[in-house]
């Protein structure tokens, strides 16, 4: 369980992020051009990104926030217990209960994103599984995750 002061720090950073959004609300943002499953995905991404303020400086955290914001994933995760947006996948060295509740295609997305963050598993690489089974929408989510993750390289 996370310490209260860690959560408080994240919440204070989230309010700073929200204040910054209000100040810059008239300026177009790249996030408006991203692919989202639906409006809920976009809203959750922006909220999670505010909670993990490191996402403003670190594309790896930013991309992890995008993946965590996928509604089917987010519904199973307790955001306030995370120190990194992908921490929910593994618990005590094993795949977590929230992870096991996902449909296989979403599990492959989450695993591929975790593998990109150097979280390793004793399974076939998720990217190869995903490429065999993802539909076009799931491929677009992974492509967008990759584009966010590689922001500094562009």
């Amino acid at each position: 369980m996370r310490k209260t002061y860690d959560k408080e720090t994240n919440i204070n950073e989230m309010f700073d992020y929200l204040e910054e959004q209000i100040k810059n609300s008239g300026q177009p943002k790249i996030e408006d051009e991203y692919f989202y499953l639906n409006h809920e995905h976009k809203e959750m991404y922006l909220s999670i990104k505010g909670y993990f303020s490191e996402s403003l400086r670190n594309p790896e955290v930013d991309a992890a926030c995008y993946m965590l914001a996928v509604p089917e994933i987010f519904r199973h995760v307790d955001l306030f217990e995370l120190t990194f947006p992908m921490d929910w996948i593994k618990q005590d060295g094993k795949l977590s209960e929230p992870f096991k509740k996902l449909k296989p295609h979403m599990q492959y997305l989450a695993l591929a994103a975790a593998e990109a963050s150097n979280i390793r598993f004793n399974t076939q690489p998720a990217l190869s599984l995903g490429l065999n089974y993802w539909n076009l929408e799931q491929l677009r989510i992974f492509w967008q995750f990759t584009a966010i993750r590689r922001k500094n390289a562009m």
Side-chain angles (χ1 to χ4, degrees), residues 87-151:
D87 285 346
W88 64 273
I89 294 177
K90 238 181 184 180
Q91 185 174 24
D92 301 323
K94 299 177 183 173
L95 294 172
S96 70
E97 288 307 311
F99 175 83
K100 291 175 185 176
K101 292 178 182 177
L102 298 175
K103 293 178 183 170
H105 295 69
M106 286 295 152
Q107 287 180 346
Y108 301 155
L109 272 174
L111 285 176
E115 288 170 359
S117 298
N118 290 320
I119 299 172
R120 298 289 174 230
F121 305 94
N122 294 328
T123 63
Q124 181 178 354
L127 181 58
S128 64
L129 289 168
L131 292 175
N132 287 329
Y133 298 105
W134 287 330
N135 62 31
L136 186 56
E137 194 170 69
Q138 292 153 347
L139 279 168
R140 291 180 74 186
I141 291 169
F142 189 73
W143 173 84
Q144 185 64 66
F145 165 83
T146 305
I148 295 168
R149 179 86 164 57
R150 300 282 299 149
K151 239 191 271 189

